[in-house]
Amino acid sequence: MSGAAKPVEEGLTEQERIEIDAWLTRFPDSAEGKRSAVIPALHIVQHNSGGWLPRARMDAVAEYLELAPTRVYEVATFYGMFDVEPVGRHKVNICTNISCMLRGSNEIVEYAEKKLGIRLGETTSDGRITLKREEECLAACAGAPMMLVDEVYYTELTPEKIDQILDELE
Amino acid sequence: MSAVVENTEKVSIEIDGQTVEVPKGASIIAVADELGIDIPRFCYHSKLSAPANCRMCLVDVEMGGRPVPKPLPACITTVADGMVVRTASERALKAQQGVMEFLLINHPLDCPICDQGGECELQDLALGYGRSVSRFVEGKRVVKDENLGPLIATEMTRCIHCTRCVRFLDEIAGTSELGAMHRGEHTEIGTLVGDGVHSELSGNIIDLCPVGALTSRPYRFTARAWEMTSHAGIAPHDCLGSNVELHQLRGRIKRVVPRDNEAVNECWISDRDRFSYEGAVSENRLLAPLLRDGDQWHEVDWQTALEAVANALRDTVDAHGAEAVGSLISPSATLEEMALHSALMRALGSDNIDTRLQRADFRDATSPQGFPGIETDFSELDNQDTVLLIGSYPRQEQPLLNHRLRKAALAGGHVLAINPCGFDWNFDLSQELIAHVAELPAVLAATARELARKKGLEEPAALSAWQTPSSVSADKIEQLAVVLASDGKKTVLSGALVEGHPAGAELRYLGALIAELSGAAYGALTPGANSAGAWLAGALPDRRPDGSAARGLNAQSMLTNPLKAYLLHGIEPEHDCHDPQLAAQAFAAAEHVIALSSWDTPALREQASILLPLAAFGETAGTFVNANGHWQIFGGVGQPLGEARPGWRVLRVLGNILGTPGFDYEAPDQIHAEVKTRAGDAAVARPSVEQAVAAQRASDGMQRVGMPALYGVDALSRHAPALQATDQAQPAVVLLNPSDAVAQGLTEGGKVSVTQGSASQTFAVHPDERVPAGSFWLAGGLSNTAGLGAMIGSATLVAAGTDA
């Protein structure tokens, strides 16, 4: 999971290169093809960088994929699943899209905010949890309201479930 | 997809009732523009890719008698046979009005305090397509401004995300410095990391911005668009002579913008051409004639000053002969000024006149058949198959010529370079041979030999004079020769590092030989705006105004054999001479140094005895002849500051006082016409390959390599505050090979003392493996390089601690 205490590598590690190379084989061997690998590459790098993308790591991806760094920054800021500012050890994404909203996600958000003492987009002062802003539909409407904690889905949320899930996060 | 399509295959379409034959593959908007049908747009620009993200150009389209279900964006919809387009139907207008309403939702109503007000595409279109009262009552978004540097002011709340600036920096400038960060409502144009914009062409995004998000920082809040009048001008910095418009208010230039000329600068100008006008209103302007009296300077009237000049010249000629007088002229002086200087010197009896201040090697004579320049038309450079650059970094020398080479490279052409140092190119070179500066002639000779072999031609005997180079492998030279020997459109270009090279004559000879052997056109990227004009006007020691040969002293010999009186025109010797130290010594020993200058500088006060205030950029009419031989005329826009006067007027009156015959011109166009008549059909000529320039032994030891910095090429750019605040104008740094750095005990951030002759200066060190061992890169024309020795020449380096 995220939140590794080890120092973040500035460039790409050997393992990261291997993982990115594996993605590159799925795309055409061209400049456009390399551009297609930006999203998986950022996922790999973010996973190893404490859950967010420091500039040096985005630059390393740009260099490896032979892109202007700006093109990588655009992708990293476009998608909600990437963070370009430091985050807490756990990222909690409460869905507020229509199905979840109809099933009471607003109350869930309010409850989580109150419980953690932070607003959406903020991180607890102990660096434990970041409540992500504006999570788009995660395609689990059958279990609405739902949330994504790091890489795990939790559905049919209630205040009690929120207490239980959040309290278990270290 | 490029907007301009040249396709001979035609399709027939109907647009707003007109039936027309148009090139297959063209976009509707390009076709409409050709026909003069106005389709509103924000993101579309004919020189950039079309992303169709503003949606303003929605038009009504019908295909095969059936309307397309929704309006289509005209910028990416290509024409098809039988297509019917209605650009102003009710549905099209409704769509355009809808887009306009959305664009205005977040756009502030700050037109009265916006620099773009009155020349704003959004304002103009809002007038035609917007509602008079907004239906949007919610709060508008606010975007935090980012500092993009000293040239571009930002007001990002006004941005409508057309992404023209993003695409320009990506596609034209090649620096990709701006991007569309975040998403949707939160989209912001910026760098994300706050690095700013540093492209040498960055100012064009000000023109491209359809709103007031990106505006000119130096121009900010100084005038309104409708108050100013616009005058055609020519940029005075490089041998392209970019066409510009000078916008003036009450006699003062407020800003400079491009004037379209596809044959020269297309619709762009470099930042140097755009922001250098500030130098003309600099507080360092020389405002009155000054005479030196010992250590004191006295302001005098023009009559007194010019009589003093005439007396100084007469006294020198009487006492020491006319050969003791010499004239050093800026290569960016006007044709008319050069012609009068030349006539004046010849009337005095001296042929000592030169504009080639940066030249180090004069062993090759001035070509008698024509002027130095580029045989290939600028616009043809775009589609060369092969271009060989010798001793050149055009991105710094002629930024827009570099843009054309970049286009050639992106279109699949081979751009090759043989240089004494690696540079930050904004496109991929096919091959870059980096050799120690002293080995450049040997590398060229080896290339010529290999080329002759590849072409099955007899190897010119003179080539055996150069040894096989040791720093570049035979393989690399062979690869280069293979490309040069292949078919296609080819051009060989020699640049500023050839001009300043101690064996420049050899490089010119060998470059011309390579052009000859490969069947390529030849070009010299000449210094200043008017090197061709200097030849035409006879402002050369070996060519008189009437074209006859002469044997005067060249710019270098005038300094190595000090003269008694010097006439300087538009130069700052501590920056503009190839060897500023040599120049300072020569002037110190002279009896009279008469400087015509637009700026009053400590160095001129130290070196000169008489200072005459010269009109600056925009204040004088004249002609520049560019490297393609275009005679480009411009008028004076405002009154010169203070007592400053146009150079041609000063010289005419001086000629009258000296009794020089024929000096009764009343306007510069009379001088222009005279030069033109004498010039006949003179054209660009390449260096002769008939007579070989002998190889000479290169000097040993550590060599300095450099050329004038981007914003250090002439006095006008050096006195422009905004340009001088850019990264490119920061104090010079010594770049040297890491192995040399280790040997000298130097590390990144350390200091090194550079000594050339009797001058020393301390610089920060930056180890850089692109600099060959045994040499170091140190640019010229920067604040801390004034007064050093030759820009390419011997120097000693001594570590000077970590912090001076």
Side-chain angles (χ1 to χ4, degrees), chain A residues 11-66:
Chain A
L12 297 179
T13 63
E14 193 52 40
Q15 180 58 31
E16 284 167 343
R17 284 167 203 271
I18 291 167
E19 288 178 37
I20 295 172
D21 286 345
W23 278 100
L24 281 170
T25 59
R26 304 187 191 192
F27 303 116
D29 187 15
S30 64
E32 290 76 21
K34 286 192 168 169
R35 203 166 169 178
S36 303
V38 170
I39 293 177
L42 288 177
H43 272 303
I44 292 163
V45 168
Q46 177 167 276
H47 186 82
N48 298 330
S49 311
W52 69 289
L53 292 163
R55 177 186 179 176
R57 300 281 276 158
M58 292 193 279
D59 289 352
V61 168
E63 195 185 341
Y64 194 62
L65 299 178
E66 293 170 5

Side-chain angles (χ1 to χ4, degrees), chain B residues 55 58-62 66-73 77 91-92 95:
Chain B
R55 316 307 286 185
L58 291 173
V59 291
D60 215 357
V61 176
E62 203 177 289
R66 287 188 15 212
V68 175
K70 289 186 208 174
L72 297 178
T77 307
R91 194 164 69 141

Side-chain angles (χ1 to χ4, degrees), chain A residues 55 68 70-71 73-74 77-78, chain B residues 170 176 178-180 182-183 195:
Chain A
R55 177 186 179 176
T70 312
R71 299 287 87 81
Y73 304 159
E74 286 178 327
T77 54
F78 187 93
Chain B
D170 205 36
S176 305
L178 288 178
H182 307 288
R183 184 180 72 217
D195 281 359

Side-chain angles (χ1 to χ4, degrees), chain B residues 48 65 73 81 105 184 235 300 468 487 514 518 533 619 631 719 725:
Chain B
L48 303 174
D81 210 27
I105 276 183
V300 292
T468 309
D487 293 337
I514 289 172
S518 62
E619 296 170 350
W631 293 54
H719 287 282

Side-chain angles (χ1 to χ4, degrees), chain A residues 9 15 20 23 44-45 54 70 79 92 104 110-111 116 123 128 141 148 150 164 168:
Chain A
E9 297 277 339
Q15 180 58 31
I20 295 172
W23 278 100
I44 292 163
V45 168
T70 312
Y79 293 102
V92 173
E110 206 176 307
Y111 184 78
L116 296 171
T123 302
R128 192 166 67 97
C141 305
L148 172 72
D150 298 327
Q164 188 202 337
E168 274 175 17

Side-chain angles (χ1 to χ4, degrees), chain B residues 431 433 450 454 472-482:
Chain B
Q431 232 189 309
L433 295 193
E450 191 60 39
K454 288 265 171 307
V472 178
S473 73
D475 283 358
K476 286 194 159 178
I477 286 173
E478 203 208 326
Q479 287 165 22
L480 197 77
V482 167

Side-chain angles (χ1 to χ4, degrees), chain B residues 199-246:
Chain B
S199 164
E200 69 284 0
L201 304 178
S202 70
N204 291 297
I205 67 177
I206 297 168
D207 300 332
L208 288 171
C209 184
V211 296
L214 304 173
T215 53
S216 164
R217 201 182 273 269
Y219 163 74
R220 201 165 209 213
F221 304 145
T222 59
R224 298 302 269 170
W226 59 85
E227 300 176 303
M228 300 184 286
T229 53
S230 186
H231 307 261
I234 301 297
H237 302 291
D238 62 39
C239 64
L240 242 77
S242 290
N243 291 198
V244 294
E245 287 287 342
L246 310 181

